Amino acid sequence: MGMRERLRRPVRRAPHGRVITLSLPELLLLGFLALSAVGTLLLSLSIAAYHPLTWHQALFTATSAVTVTGLGVVDTSSLTWFGQGVVLVLIQVGGLGFMTCAAMMMVMLGVRLPMNQKKLISESLDHTSFPSLIQMVRLVMIFSLIAELSGTLLLAFAWVPDYGLAEGLWVSAFHAISAFNNAGFSTWSGSLTHEVADPLVNAVISLLFITGGLGFLVIAELVNWRPAARVSLHTRIVLHATFWLVVVAMLAVLVLEWQNPATLGGLDGLGARFQAAWFQAVTPRTAGFNTLDTGAMSDPTALLTMFWMFIGAGSGSTASGIKVTTLVVLLLVARAFLRGEARPVAFGRSLPDNTVMEAVAVALAGMLLIFTCLLILTITESGQTFLDLAFESVSAFGTVGLSRGITGELSVPGQLAIILTMLLGRVGPISLGYLIAKRKIKGFRYAEGKVHIG
């Protein structure tokens, strides 16, 4: 049987010959579970770590990598080059999406994609134009390769002189791929705290994860933009929201941490302080790297960081969270209600009811998932503070990877709760949006009833 025939076969078949197709949410969940299982098996091998990992340590690390989170119960530095290579592959596939990676392989092999697979890949990328799907996949593949290769070469200028050619190139490639995919994994136990004053490292790493967090639709539009072309509403919202969130976050970090001797207050020079504040402002957008001690931040900064982690980055990106577009839609709905407007409006365009419902559902589902995870952790981890547990729960949902230093102290039930939250945090918003967009509208309405709000 040829490759094309195998690709056209249905996903599964019922006992009586009836074809059962898998929806996007089912494929996403099964795909991430399969990748986590394979990663767990590989990381359980004796050659993967200097001290063999237990099954739950391997499972936690593999899930954290494939969901591009960055939380770890063991330091990545305790893994061998083989173990770190496994983590890197999981990050790459999990960040770009395994369906996108599969499409890339088919494009490279010259295989024509069947219509049903085009549809699923389009939905996973939030892209619905079939004629340009192949161009979109090629763009994702080429842009990711260029971004990660450029990041590797730039970081090599900082790290090859310090660590030698082989190790310097390896840590440069590892951090470049981890940053672009918003994974937050570092080969050093303290993440990038020892690079807090290095302008090259801070600039390259932050640029990589901001770019990866914009979303491939935004990147594709910016790459193909022409002076006479009009930027889409989605791209305008993502760019404006990203800019203002970064500005507000940086100002908040400067004000709240300026006198903290364990964070900004302990740095010499205005340049180092502003540089550290910038990095701490952009990294909660699901990047997970840190140049300051997250556990030493003041409570107000930790609370704001949790809010930024909950928001996340752009739709269809390597990042998670409820997404900046969801936040903007919710704010526009509130503004429309206060103004007495019939529909929320952005840049002269009204937003459809479906978009509003999706934003409300995604935000509510995210809050419920965080609440459930936090409830479990308060039961299983009685020795930890509530703030630390809440921070861990939000970080897992947003697949950020920032922690106040308690991840390695979690019990096995606590680790399993975080694992489930990371999986649902990565798959959930995409799946929920898919289900809302594909739901069937009933042809009738019930009589309206009065419900008092507020």
Side-chain angles (χ1 to χ4, degrees):
M1 182 182 294
M3 179 175 292
R4 292 189 179 183
E5 286 71 16
R6 290 198 298 270
L7 291 172
R8 293 178 183 273
R9 290 188 299 175
V11 179
R12 57 181 179 178
R13 189 175 293 273
H16 300 292
R18 181 171 57 89
V19 175
I20 302 176
T21 57
L22 293 176
S23 66
L24 177 64
E26 292 174 325
L27 280 173
L28 284 174
L29 184 58
L30 288 176
F32 278 106
L33 288 174
L35 289 171
S36 296
V38 172
T40 301
L41 291 176
L42 293 175
L43 291 175
S44 298
L45 300 175
S46 58
I47 59 173
Y50 296 109
H51 301 285
L53 304 181
T54 62
W55 68 268
H56 53 84
Q57 289 175 331
L59 176 62
F60 193 102
T61 304
T63 306
S64 183
V66 80
T67 58
V68 291
T69 302
L71 290 173
V73 291
V74 295
D75 286 334
T76 312
S77 59
S78 67
L79 302 178
T80 63
W81 279 32
F82 173 81
Q84 291 179 3
V86 171
V87 169
L88 206 59
V89 172
L90 292 175
I91 288 173
Q92 186 72 83
V93 178
L96 298 182
F98 63 91
M99 285 191 293
T100 306
C101 291
M104 289 178 184
M105 293 300 297
M106 290 184 233
V107 170
M108 292 173 63
L109 294 173
V111 179
R112 184 178 179 182
L113 293 174
M115 184 60 70
N116 63 336
Q117 294 186 17
K118 283 186 178 182
K119 183 178 180 181
L120 287 172
I121 296 168
S122 295
E123 289 162 350
S124 68
L125 288 171
D126 286 339
H127 188 273
T128 56
S129 178
F130 287 171
S132 60
L133 175 62
I134 301 302
Q135 288 81 356
M136 181 72 172
V137 171
R138 286 198 182 103
L139 175 64
V140 171
M141 178 172 57
I142 295 173
F143 186 86
S144 301
L145 180 62
I146 292 175
E148 292 170 354
L149 182 59
S150 301
T152 300
L153 294 178
L154 290 173
L155 291 173
F157 283 104
W159 290 333
V160 166
D162 294 335
Y163 300 99
L165 182 61
E167 186 177 356
L169 286 176
W170 173 249
V171 296
S172 298
F174 189 98
H175 285 84
I177 295 173
S178 181
F180 181 75
N181 289 282
N182 278 247
F185 275 90
S186 174
T187 55
W188 298 301
S189 57
S191 190
L192 299 176
T193 52
H194 63 291
E195 303 287 356
V196 63
D198 191 316
L200 176 62
V201 172
N202 280 261
V204 173
I205 294 292
S206 60
L207 182 61
L208 282 172
F209 62 65
I210 289 174
T211 304
L214 289 177
F216 292 115
L217 284 178
V218 175
I219 292 173
E221 186 169 355
L222 294 178
V223 169
N224 296 317
W225 183 79
R226 298 293 181 269
R230 183 181 179 86
V231 179
S232 68
L233 177 62
H234 172 80
T235 297
R236 294 177 73 178
I237 289 177
V238 170
L239 293 179
H240 279 78
T242 299
F243 173 79
W244 286 110
L245 283 171
V246 169
V247 170
V248 172
M250 183 174 177
L251 291 175
V253 173
L254 284 171
V255 171
L256 296 173
E257 297 296 320
W258 190 264
Q259 299 296 333
N260 187 346
T263 55
L264 294 184
L267 300 178
D268 295 328
L270 293 177
R273 291 193 180 190
F274 276 91
Q275 189 171 265
W278 154 263
F279 199 93
Q280 192 58 45
V282 294
T283 193
R285 308 286 304 290
T286 84
F289 292 102
N290 60 287
T291 56
L292 296 175
D293 184 0
T294 308
M297 294 189 305
S298 63
D299 290 355
T301 307
L303 185 60
L304 285 174
T305 302
M306 290 165 60
F307 176 66
W308 300 323
M309 292 192 297
F310 178 71
I311 295 172
S315 300
S317 69
T318 58
S320 296
I322 65 170
K323 307 298 191 300
V324 293
T325 46
T326 301
L327 174 67
V328 172
V329 170
L330 294 176
L331 293 176
L332 292 175
V333 169
R335 187 184 69 174
F337 172 77
L338 294 174
R339 290 182 174 182
E341 298 172 346
R343 277 190 171 185
V345 177
F347 299 106
R349 296 287 187 271
S350 62
L351 303 180
D353 295 338
N354 227 34
T355 301
V356 174
M357 292 180 64
E358 183 175 349
V360 173
V362 168
L364 181 60
M367 288 186 287
L368 290 176
L369 178 58
I370 292 171
F371 174 82
T372 303
C373 178
L374 180 57
L375 177 63
I376 296 174
L377 291 182
T378 54
I379 297 172
T380 61
E381 316 300 321
S382 57
Q384 304 294 342
T385 65
F386 183 82
L387 178 61
D388 290 349
L389 295 178
F391 196 96
E392 201 82 5
S393 301
V394 179
S395 181
F397 163 75
T399 67
V400 179
L402 292 176
S403 174
R404 290 175 62 85
I406 69 168
T407 310
E409 302 173 8
L410 295 176
S411 63
V412 174
Q415 292 180 29
L416 295 177
I418 293 294
I419 288 173
L420 184 60
T421 304
M422 289 189 294
L423 279 171
L424 295 179
R426 181 65 175 153
V427 177
I430 303 174
S431 302
L432 189 57
Y434 170 84
L435 293 174
I436 294 173
K438 297 301 178 182
R439 77 189 194 285
K440 294 181 179 180
I441 305 299
K442 296 180 179 179
F444 63 91
R445 286 186 178 183
Y446 291 101
E448 293 185 355
K450 179 67 176 179
V451 177
H452 297 280
I453 303 295

